[in-house]
Amino acid sequence: MNIRPMPFDHPDAVKLNDEVQLEYAERYDGDGDETPLDPAMFQPPRGLYLMAYDPLDRPVATGGWRAMDADGEGYADGDAELKRMYVVPEARGLGLARRILARLEEDARAAGRRRMVLETGTKQPEAIALYLSSGYELCEKFGLYRHHEDSRCFAKLLTGQ
């Protein structure tokens, strides 16, 4: 698999974002993740968006981070927020999410971010398992869904490693 940086508004990124939004809508009986995202949020050095491609150069996975600081929604100065981690169903189980996650953490650490944070939900047990097995711990809720019962927020320190 080939993992490479990609603009958040690249057609392949838009395609997989549409797919993950449909999956969110199905799992939560809603409209998907309504967190406002702008492609500029994922531009280095204040973010990064990665895409994985299979040997036939088909997009199969995504993930990104964006710099966040204290803003009244529960973020802390120095946070890097993980967004749009997604692997297409036919590529699951190959370790792509774990590889993308490791690259995003490394990049956020190099950019001086102190903590990687993410929000997921109770109807995404495979995501929760990935984050727990990667050293993330439950933390105080933040972001758009901080008041939702199904929301779960996790954090991992990036400093001192």
Side-chain angles (χ1 to χ4, degrees):
M1 296 288 173
N2 180 358
I3 299 173
R4 57 188 185 250
M6 192 69 55
F8 183 68
D9 57 356
H10 183 278
D12 290 343
V14 171
K15 176 184 183 295
L16 291 194
N17 187 58
D18 290 347
E19 288 182 28
V20 73
Q21 291 287 21
L22 286 173
E23 189 164 321
Y24 292 155
E26 287 174 15
R27 289 186 188 218
Y28 295 97
D29 297 321
D31 295 324
D33 183 353
E34 297 178 355
T35 304
L37 297 177
D38 183 290
M41 294 175 171
F42 298 98
Q43 293 176 353
R46 295 192 47 82
L48 178 69
Y49 198 75
L50 297 174
M51 294 202 58
Y53 289 84
D54 70 10
L56 299 176
D57 209 33
R58 294 177 297 203
V60 294
T62 65
W65 74 268
R66 64 182 182 157
M68 298 299 288
D69 291 302
D71 68 351
E73 286 192 352
Y75 296 98
D77 286 342
D79 280 352
E81 184 182 20
L82 196 63
K83 296 301 292 179
R84 296 302 188 265
M85 289 290 292
Y86 178 69
V87 179
V88 299
E90 56 271 15
R92 292 178 183 167
L94 302 175
L96 287 173
R98 194 170 300 280
R99 287 175 55 198
I100 288 173
L101 180 60
R103 295 239 335 240
L104 293 172
E105 288 173 357
E106 179 182 309
D107 188 74
R109 185 180 299 111
R113 297 277 106 185
R114 295 191 285 271
R115 180 176 82 144
M116 183 73 83
V117 298
L118 66 100
E119 187 272 336
T120 189
T122 58
K123 296 180 182 180
Q124 294 168 265
E126 59 283 284
I128 291 172
L130 168 69
Y131 300 128
L132 289 173
S133 70
S134 298
Y136 286 78
E137 297 179 351
L138 277 170
C139 68
E140 187 174 334
K141 289 184 180 183
F142 59 85
L144 184 65
Y145 296 99
R146 66 191 177 280
H147 302 296
H148 288 241
E149 185 177 321
D150 286 334
S151 174
R152 297 294 180 272
C153 292
F154 293 85
K156 178 180 179 180
L157 290 179
L158 298 174
T159 56
Q161 298 181 17

